[in-house]
Amino acid sequence: MRTIKNIHQADYHPIADLTTYNPLPSPRLRQIDPFIFLNHHGLQKYPKNNNGLPFGPHPHRGMETVTFILEGDIMHKDSGGHESVIQAGGIQWMTAGRGLIHAEVSSSEFKKNGGDLEILQLWLNLPAKYKMTEPRYIGLQKDEITHFELNEGKAKVQLIAGEWNGLQGSFETLTPIFLSTIHLSKGAIIEKTIPSNENIFFYIVRGKVNILGEQIPFRNLVEFNNNGDLLKFEASEDAVVILGHAVPFNEPMVAQGPFVMNTQQEIMEAYRDYQLGKFGSWEH
């Protein structure tokens, strides 16, 4: 059975008028290789005629972003020509690879009408062999994503990547990785086999979860020991959890601003290439 190594409470770091909590990285935890960054925006209610999300055009290289839209919507546009509006329950997966520029803002409809917003963005590292891969983007709406129920319907699983219960996740990945969102009713018990050599990413978005007798509330990231091949947890109240796991890359990592590479030299090259326009041109 996997045991808890540490519990990391998300720190409050608002961005303009956007409520934001950030559990990873922190002074106590640099990464859960290959999971390297998480921002939890909301839950908050936007008024009518709001400015929406503040993430205008910015570059990335050497990593991937997975965006979970629980409430509200997000409009994605990038220098590779991809554009979409993903609604509540949907997922975006962007592979920055060798470099691209993207913006993540609210739709004109959301800015006009307002409403609830809760969005999480997780950054995944890429191994050295894929750092300079061709950028790509896929956005899927809620009904396009693999889903199933466990524990007599008390747990509803959104299977984003990897395999579970004989089903395959909706996103093809460059490296073997498992990623899911789980909506739990109070009393739901989940057991999942996870090889002991894989790192577990476990973040409680809403509610409270019991792990080996310890009650852990929302906005906490649970760091597990690699000491077993079974993960078990129970919902102490209705809850939402992001569960991922993967074999660590065990490579050097230098993260600076929007770039995640293996060396400082590669970071400097990323800034230079961006300034030279090698990430593509941005058209509004």
Side-chain angles (χ1 to χ4, degrees):
M1 188 83 71
R2 290 292 190 110
T3 57
I4 296 172
K5 182 177 182 180
N6 277 307
I7 299 169
H8 303 272
Q9 185 174 7
D11 293 326
Y12 181 52
H13 294 296
I15 302 170
D17 61 352
L18 179 62
T19 299
T20 301
Y21 293 86
N22 170 241
L24 184 72
S26 75
R28 306 169 303 281
L29 183 66
R30 187 164 180 253
Q31 64 171 325
I32 299 178
D33 187 2
F35 306 92
I36 55 178
F37 175 91
L38 180 70
N39 260 353
H40 181 178
H41 306 297
L43 177 67
Q44 69 189 99
K45 192 173 190 70
Y46 271 73
K48 291 183 178 180
N49 301 313
N50 63 80
N51 294 321
L53 294 168
F55 305 112
H58 58 280
H60 284 294
R61 173 180 277 181
M63 34 70 78
E64 302 183 281
T65 64
V66 183
T67 308
F68 306 76
I69 301 96
L70 272 68
E71 302 288 349
D73 68 26
I74 189 167
M75 182 169 69
H76 170 100
K77 184 178 181 181
D78 66 46
S79 55
H82 306 107
E83 191 169 349
S84 70
V85 177
I86 302 298
Q87 309 288 342
I91 301 286
Q92 298 176 323
W93 193 302
M94 185 186 79
T95 303
R98 62 176 172 76
L100 86 173
I101 303 166
H102 78 146
E104 299 160 303
V105 296
S106 301
S107 70
S108 55
E109 182 182 355
F110 184 84
K111 288 192 281 189
K112 178 183 176 182
N113 298 324
D116 290 337
L117 184 142
E118 187 168 25
I119 292 174
L120 297 95
Q121 186 168 92
L122 174 66
W123 290 15
L124 306 173
N125 199 3
L126 282 171
K129 64 181 178 180
Y130 291 134
K131 287 287 188 193
M132 300 296 282
T133 195
E134 190 72 18
R136 63 179 184 175
Y137 165 82
I138 298 174
L140 296 179
Q141 306 290 1
K142 180 180 179 180
D143 60 2
E144 298 176 306
I145 299 170
T146 304
H147 58 276
F148 60 90
E149 295 183 350
L150 293 173
N151 207 186
E152 300 177 338
K154 289 183 179 179
K156 294 177 171 58
V157 178
Q158 192 177 45
L159 187 56
I160 299 164
E163 187 272 335
W164 194 4
N165 210 31
L167 296 171
Q168 195 66 36
S170 296
F171 292 85
E172 291 185 14
T173 59
L174 289 170
T175 61
I177 190 167
F178 174 90
L179 199 57
S180 67
T181 311
I182 310 174
H183 292 254
L184 303 150
S185 297
K186 182 179 179 179
I189 297 173
I190 297 292
E191 292 188 356
K192 188 175 192 306
T193 300
I194 300 172
S196 59
N197 68 320
E198 296 194 17
N199 288 342
I200 293 175
F201 180 89
F202 190 100
Y203 181 71
I204 304 166
V205 181
R206 299 179 184 173
K208 185 184 292 183
V209 172
N210 181 339
I211 302 175
L212 299 177
E214 184 150 8
Q215 301 287 344
I216 308 167
F218 70 113
R219 295 199 193 116
N220 276 284
L221 178 71
V222 183
E223 183 185 6
F224 286 91
N225 292 302
N226 294 77
N227 60 348
D229 58 6
L230 183 67
L231 174 68
K232 183 178 180 180
F233 58 95
E234 179 179 357
S236 307
E237 55 189 56
D238 290 357
V240 177
V241 167
I242 294 175
L243 171 63
H245 56 84
V247 176
F249 300 153
N250 293 320
E251 294 181 350
M253 182 182 75
V254 180
Q256 191 171 319
F259 306 132
V260 183
M261 303 302 290
N262 296 108
T263 66
Q264 187 62 42
Q265 176 66 30
E266 289 171 337
I267 293 287
M268 292 168 63
E269 289 170 2
Y271 276 105
R272 184 193 64 204
D273 288 350
Y274 171 56
Q275 290 160 0
L276 290 173
K278 293 185 178 181
F279 284 30
S281 61
W282 180 260
E283 297 178 6
H284 291 282

